[in-house]
Amino acid sequence: MNTLKNANKSTPSMVYQAGYLEGYRYGGCQAILERIPPQIFGKKNIRVLYIPQGFDAIDQGVSEALQQLASECIIATPDKMLETAIRSRPDLVLVMNGLHVFPADHPDHISKIRQLGIKTAVWFADDPYFTDDTVELSAAYDVVFTHEQDCISFYKEVGCSQVYYLPLAISPAMFAPIRTTREQQFDICFIGSAFWNRVELFDQLAPFLLDKRVIIAGGHWDRLKHYDQLSRFIRSGWVPVPETVAYYNGSRIVINLHRPTTAGSDNRNGKGISGSSINPRTYEISACGTLQITDVRSDLLRHYRPGYDIETFHGASDLRSKIDYYLQHEEERRAIAWRSLWTTRQYHTFAHRVNELLEIVS
């Protein structure tokens, strides 16, 4: 982190101004939150065994929502799923994603659970990037949920009879407005792995970013052609959720660029299924009350309104222009950011999603 501090030196007057603006931003976010009506969902008479994937930002939100909405929520690790199901006999076993950290014989365990008369469901959160793996896994379950609407027909075509589109969301306890320090405040922020489309974009942006206060955080950013120019802005490796939340809150603009869906480009998507649904980062940035500028996926319009509670870009030139504009128009930037917070907390929490999921499986 020392390189970041050295790359973004501040004068006393800049620190004072930043402190004033931070207080104004945070106060506005709190005023927005106070005006949002409380979410009231009826508790469902269903006992759920939840098997998390290990995605902290998702698993905590789903667990919180299940504890709020189900009559009982039991949580077990993937390797303990079968024995926990046999012992507790839930009404539903809900698996998040079923990939990466799950044992190879996971489908056999699901089959044994179904033989006990227990309903099973999986919620795929990595679609369409690992569909070479999920194509066989999906057949093991009674019900398939996917956050990617372009995968609905894919799962139906391979024989899944109950397939539902269920977007991801946020945990209000994790992604929310917080106060930040000067060391966490930037003009521009991007957090995520350096997939090749992201590398190309930031290589094109490199000269434009050099005189700004920037953080680029995540893995594999040594892929950049202009790594020598941007290295002082890069915070390498995995970024824990609390640190991510601080950077989102502290940044005037957060860029979001979805990963490519092309097979072989860090993906296992041999069918070349396209991606039209938005990533969880879209909701997470917005929940922090920050202006987000994102690339466009067709499903975006179902959830946000470009120019109202989110901003979009088409290519590096358009992104440069919009960053320039919003860095010079503070009131417009804050207004969109505050509206994004309102929209996200009003419609896109895991309580909304889990309530829908439980109504479907019940």
Side-chain angles (χ1 to χ4, degrees):
M1 290 298 293
N2 290 334
T3 55
L4 285 175
K5 292 179 181 179
N6 293 336
N8 299 285
K9 293 180 180 179
S10 304
T11 65
S13 62
M14 291 169 62
V15 172
Y16 175 82
Q17 178 71 2
Y20 171 80
L21 293 175
E22 168 62 4
Y24 187 73
R25 177 201 72 85
Y26 180 75
C29 288
Q30 293 308 305
I32 293 291
L33 293 177
E34 290 171 3
R35 294 171 53 199
I36 297 176
Q39 299 171 3
I40 301 175
F41 301 103
K43 189 177 282 288
K44 309 293 190 296
N45 185 24
I46 184 171
R47 300 174 62 249
V48 182
L49 170 58
Y50 178 57
I51 313 299
Q53 165 73 57
F55 301 148
D56 292 343
I58 295 175
D59 290 327
Q60 179 171 324
V62 174
S63 299
E64 291 167 351
L66 285 170
Q67 289 163 3
Q68 174 188 346
L69 298 173
S71 58
E72 184 179 0
C73 173
I74 308 158
I75 300 174
T77 57
D79 60 315
K80 299 294 184 181
M81 179 188 69
L82 178 57
E83 65 180 82
T84 306
I86 292 172
R87 184 177 65 252
S88 62
R89 296 298 176 105
D91 301 307
L92 172 71
V93 172
L94 174 61
V95 171
M96 178 56 66
N97 222 31
L99 297 172
H100 313 314
V101 298
F102 284 74
D105 56 353
H106 173 70
D108 294 333
H109 292 176
I110 290 293
S111 177
K112 291 176 181 177
I113 290 171
R114 292 177 69 181
Q115 290 170 16
L116 296 172
I118 299 170
K119 184 173 287 187
T120 62
V122 63
W123 189 354
F124 289 129
D126 263 340
D127 282 340
Y129 311 110
F130 293 93
T131 46
D132 292 353
D133 303 314
T134 61
V135 63
E136 294 185 7
L137 184 60
S138 62
Y141 293 89
D142 294 300
V143 187
V144 172
F145 294 94
T146 174
H147 84 109
E148 175 52 66
Q149 64 175 4
D150 286 3
C151 283
I152 298 293
S153 59
F154 170 70
Y155 290 122
K156 288 183 176 180
E157 288 168 2
V158 299
C160 300
S161 60
Q162 296 188 63
V163 185
Y164 300 93
Y165 165 68
L166 191 65
L168 297 169
I170 58 101
S171 159
M174 296 186 76
F175 290 92
I178 63 169
R179 293 185 181 275
T180 62
T181 65
R182 180 57 177 162
E183 289 73 23
Q184 298 164 330
Q185 295 166 10
F186 299 89
D187 295 322
I188 300 161
C189 168
F190 180 87
I191 298 179
S193 297
F195 297 113
W196 287 108
N197 62 329
R198 296 171 178 175
V199 169
E200 180 181 1
L201 176 69
F202 278 92
D203 271 326
Q204 294 179 64
L205 291 177
F208 170 76
L209 297 176
L210 295 181
D211 63 346
K212 296 171 179 62
R213 187 173 170 88
V214 178
I215 181 169
I216 303 168
H220 308 298
W221 285 101
D222 53 356
R223 292 175 169 182
L224 287 163
K225 292 179 182 178
H226 296 297
Y227 180 82
D228 56 336
Q229 295 181 37
L230 297 177
S231 60
R232 68 184 188 273
F233 300 142
I234 294 173
R235 187 263 199 225
S236 297
W238 173 253
V239 185
V241 171
E243 197 171 338
T244 296
V245 171
Y247 288 145
Y248 286 167
N249 271 269
S251 298
R252 297 166 72 191
I253 295 171
V254 179
I255 298 170
N256 183 13
L257 178 59
H258 292 76
R259 64 189 284 181
T261 60
T262 308
S265 182
D266 299 310
N267 298 320
R268 288 179 50 77
N269 181 22
K271 294 290 186 180
I273 300 171
S274 58
S276 63
S277 294
I278 56 181
N279 57 21
R281 187 174 289 111
T282 311
Y283 306 107
E284 294 163 1
I285 297 167
S286 296
C288 294
T290 297
L291 174 64
Q292 175 177 181
I293 308 183
T294 181
D295 63 327
V296 179
R297 284 194 166 179
S298 59
D299 199 33
L300 177 68
L301 300 180
R302 186 186 304 203
H303 306 289
Y304 294 96
R305 294 164 54 188
Y308 177 78
D309 51 16
I310 201 167
E311 189 52 272
T312 59
F313 74 94
H314 300 269
S317 178
D318 187 36
L319 180 56
R320 282 193 296 266
S321 297
K322 288 181 175 174
I323 290 173
D324 256 342
Y325 180 84
Y326 285 109
L327 288 180
Q328 297 176 48
H329 293 80
E330 285 290 314
E331 290 187 8
E332 289 184 52
R333 182 185 64 79
R334 280 194 295 262
I336 295 174
W338 286 337
R339 287 193 289 262
S340 73
L341 173 61
W342 168 276
T343 298
T344 306
R345 288 291 287 268
Q346 183 82 337
Y347 302 111
H348 304 312
T349 69
F350 274 111
H352 290 95
R353 308 300 192 240
V354 169
N355 183 66
E356 182 178 352
L357 183 151
L358 294 179
E359 287 183 349
I360 290 170
V361 298
S362 295

